[in-house]
Amino acid sequence: MSEASAPHAAERRELTAAQRNAVAELLRVSPVADELGRRFVRAGHELHLVGGSVRDALLGRLGDDLDFCTDAHPDETLRIIKGWAESIWETGREFGTIGAQRDGLRLEITTFRAESYDQVSRNPVVVYGTSLDEDLKRRDFTINAMAVSLPDHVFTDPHGGLDDLSAKVIRTPSTPGESFGDDPLRMLRAARFAAQLRFAVHPDVHLAMTEMAADLDRITAERIRDEFTKLLCGADPITGLRLLVDTGLAERFLPELTGLKLEIDEHAQHKDVYEHTLTVVENAVSYEEEGCDFILRMAALLHDAGKPATKAVGSDGRVSFHHHEVVGARLTKARMKAMRYPKEVTAKVTALVAMHLRFYGYGRGEWTDSAVRRYVADAGDLLPRLHKLTRSDCTTRNRRKAAQLAADYDALEDRIARIAAEEDLARVRPDLDGNAIMELLGVPPGPVVGRAWKHLKEQRLEHGPLNRDAAEAELLRWARAEGLIG
């Protein structure tokens, strides 16, 4: 790999060291990348590894998804890779992108672009470019505006991306105002990269994000949702979340988060509920066993969303937020619907928010086995996440209190395990199914069967498993009380 240019000795030394890291990563994929590059050159075209692939190679974390740019248009790209690629897809063709797979690598090959943006939706309108420099200039950040030409491995970095990568700073190739004016989503993307890479945004970028935050309103909910999801699943979501709030971007699509800054928690253990929430998110991340659990992180972020609307100050001056979990669940559902999250994801996050306070009070010894069964039954397959969310919500600085809460929850989990060993808590169902109910009562399918089933489930939760004779006797007793049989 050779240098495109290096006017200063210090830059040359730094570039060479960084390139050594990149070479080690590129060697793993170069048989495929170089072979593809030769095919394009033979056809009279250019091919460059570009964007996130170069950035990640320089960071020593290149994956199996590779991004390329070329002067070839999509039809020409298809002709070049046909018969060479193991599979080809054209889902990104309208944006000039052709996808392919070879030797376990996913390749996306995009024609040079000089994008313009629809002034209403701010969705990109593709205009093909004519040069690598033009393509790199239109990219979002300097760390994504570097390229490695193939197959000769010439490194191109016209906007100082390598220096910014070394300094761990997020900066734009053109002025931030021009860049964000082209696509306001880039402001949210800056926060996302801060969270993913643990980088800081340049002061000029921060200022532009603050001044232009309202421009985010022109972006579709789906595009905002996708960027925000990546941010929350970043290695350091707290940095990204703080950036959203500090610049005013959160107010444009997630005002519940900003609203938490106004509320002081009832125990004065944190600067405000906002700081408590960020700590809960951080705790939730620490409980993850493998990869990002978006549902857990989102529930941690919104678990106290109902506090601003339920704040009350008592005669003794103490602040309370009664039933904030109910209000918070309603707000969570509405917000995630507005952000176009799938219904099943929204339902799970909403359920966790609604249940996050259920544990409190257990330590006073008020829970019967019936209450434990209901806790497990209501949580369903969310129980492991509910365990983690409840533990994450303990942020008190009082060591004695923290230790007591942890011990109480340990005791609850042990109790759940004990009862589960005796019963099948994972499948708490009535002791008679619908067919047995219809046969015993002599009724057809309909509302009566549903009511009987619900009654038997309540008995199951209250008293534990019943044998067949006891279950039938209880059903007949209920039916007589309801006037269904004599």
Side-chain angles (χ1 to χ4, degrees):
M1 186 184 297
S2 60
E3 302 171 20
S5 62
H8 304 296
E11 291 179 4
R12 184 179 299 111
R13 286 195 300 273
E14 184 178 355
L15 180 61
T16 301
Q19 284 181 311
R20 281 199 296 270
N21 294 331
V23 167
E25 281 292 295
L26 287 171
L27 283 176
R28 181 170 64 83
V29 301
S30 63
V32 170
D34 289 347
E35 186 178 341
L36 183 60
R38 285 191 290 269
R39 292 180 72 89
F40 273 80
V41 169
R42 284 197 299 268
H45 293 289
E46 303 172 25
L47 186 73
H48 312 274
L49 189 68
V50 72
S53 294
V54 176
R55 179 198 70 226
D56 289 344
L58 291 166
L59 291 172
R61 46 184 278 179
L62 184 63
D64 294 330
D65 295 333
L66 304 180
D67 295 325
F68 301 88
C69 66
T70 179
D71 60 338
H73 286 199
D75 286 342
E76 297 167 295
T77 294
L78 284 170
R79 285 194 293 268
I80 292 170
I81 66 175
K82 188 176 181 180
W84 174 82
E86 296 163 357
S87 61
I88 297 173
W89 55 93
E90 302 181 46
T91 51
R93 186 189 181 103
E94 64 177 310
F95 300 109
T97 300
I98 299 298
Q101 182 163 324
R102 173 84 176 192
D103 292 350
L105 298 173
R106 288 174 56 88
L107 320 172
E108 289 201 343
I109 307 162
T110 302
T111 304
F112 289 153
R113 297 212 301 240
E115 288 175 347
S116 61
Y117 288 80
D118 182 278
Q119 295 302 304
V120 177
S121 69
R122 292 292 184 174
N123 286 325
V125 178
V126 174
V127 177
Y128 293 143
T130 59
S131 70
L132 175 62
D133 283 347
E134 184 181 17
D135 183 273
L136 295 179
K137 184 177 180 180
R138 64 95 189 165
R139 292 180 178 267
D140 52 7
F141 305 111
T142 60
I143 58 174
N144 297 328
M146 299 177 283
V148 176
S149 301
L150 300 167
D152 53 359
H153 292 183
V154 172
F155 182 86
T156 303
D157 179 23
H159 303 289
L162 190 64
D163 289 339
D164 290 340
L165 199 66
S166 177
K168 298 185 176 182
V169 65
I170 297 169
R171 194 169 55 85
T172 55
S174 56
T175 68
E178 291 173 328
S179 182
F180 299 155
D182 281 345
D183 184 3
L185 187 68
R186 289 173 173 172
M187 295 185 287
L188 185 52
R189 197 173 295 147
R192 187 249 289 187
F193 279 118
Q196 287 183 328
L197 301 176
R198 301 180 187 274
F199 280 20
V201 298
H202 189 277
D204 291 344
V205 172
H206 192 287
L207 178 62
M209 291 168 68
T210 304
E211 293 178 342
M212 301 177 68
D215 285 8
L216 195 64
D217 295 349
R218 298 183 180 183
I219 301 298
T220 63
E222 290 82 2
R223 295 181 74 205
I224 291 175
R225 174 202 64 204
D226 291 347
E227 283 297 328
F228 177 74
T229 299
K230 293 174 184 176
L231 182 158
L232 193 59
C233 279
D236 181 17
I238 306 306
T239 291
L241 293 170
R242 287 191 185 280
L243 193 54
L244 293 181
V245 172
D246 292 347
T247 58
L249 286 168
E251 187 66 32
R252 314 314 304 186
F253 69 95
L254 192 62
E256 292 80 8
L257 178 58
T258 303
L260 296 177
K261 289 181 68 70
L262 304 177
E263 304 301 321
I264 305 300
D265 80 22
E266 62 267 41
H267 303 298
Q269 294 298 309
H270 301 273
K271 181 179 180 181
D272 53 28
V273 177
Y274 169 71
E275 291 296 335
H276 163 75
T277 295
L278 295 184
T279 301
V280 174
V281 173
E282 193 170 32
N283 290 344
V285 172
S286 72
Y287 280 115
E288 291 174 343
E289 297 165 6
E290 183 177 348
C292 170
D293 185 343
F294 171 78
I295 291 171
L296 175 62
R297 293 191 187 194
M298 192 67 167
L301 183 67
L302 295 176
H303 79 285
D304 278 347
K307 280 191 171 181
T310 58
K311 179 182 178 181
V313 181
S315 58
D316 60 355
R318 287 177 63 82
V319 177
S320 64
F321 304 98
H322 295 306
H323 306 301
H324 74 267
E325 74 281 11
V326 177
V327 175
R330 185 171 66 247
L331 292 172
T332 296
K333 182 178 181 179
R335 179 54 55 198
M336 293 188 69
K337 180 180 179 181
M339 293 178 71
R340 305 291 194 271
Y341 278 102
K343 289 183 179 179
E344 61 273 18
V345 173
T346 298
K348 290 179 179 181
V349 175
T350 300
L352 287 171
V353 172
M355 292 189 67
H356 82 274
L357 285 184
R358 283 278 292 272
F359 159 72
Y360 294 95
Y362 177 80
R364 295 195 295 266
E366 299 171 354
W367 283 33
T368 62
D369 282 356
S370 172
V372 175
R373 292 189 197 98
R374 292 177 188 278
Y375 185 75
V376 174
D378 289 347
D381 60 3
L382 291 174
L383 184 63
R385 287 189 175 107
L386 183 57
H387 287 332
K388 294 173 183 176
L389 178 60
T390 302
R391 290 185 181 275
S392 298
D393 197 24
C394 177
T395 61
T396 177
R397 297 171 185 171
N398 184 316
R399 293 185 179 181
R400 182 191 60 78
K401 184 176 180 181
Q404 185 60 57
L405 286 170
D408 288 346
Y409 209 83
D410 288 343
L412 175 58
E413 289 191 337
D414 289 344
R415 192 170 174 188
I416 290 172
R418 175 182 60 77
I419 297 175
E422 299 169 357
E423 309 171 18
D424 188 3
L425 280 187
R427 301 175 59 192
V428 175
R429 301 177 64 82
D431 297 283
L432 298 176
D433 61 18
N435 290 328
I437 291 171
M438 288 187 288
E439 180 181 352
L440 195 60
L441 298 184
V443 297
V448 169
V449 178
R451 288 164 49 205
W453 190 93
K454 183 177 180 181
H455 172 75
L456 289 176
K457 182 176 180 180
E458 286 297 312
Q459 294 300 306
R460 173 74 165 78
L461 289 169
E462 188 67 30
H463 304 293
L466 302 176
N467 61 37
R468 179 77 182 200
D469 289 342
E472 290 182 354
E474 177 58 32
L475 176 62
L476 293 174
R477 186 202 64 75
W478 173 84
R480 282 191 292 272
E482 293 288 313
L484 299 174
I485 60 176

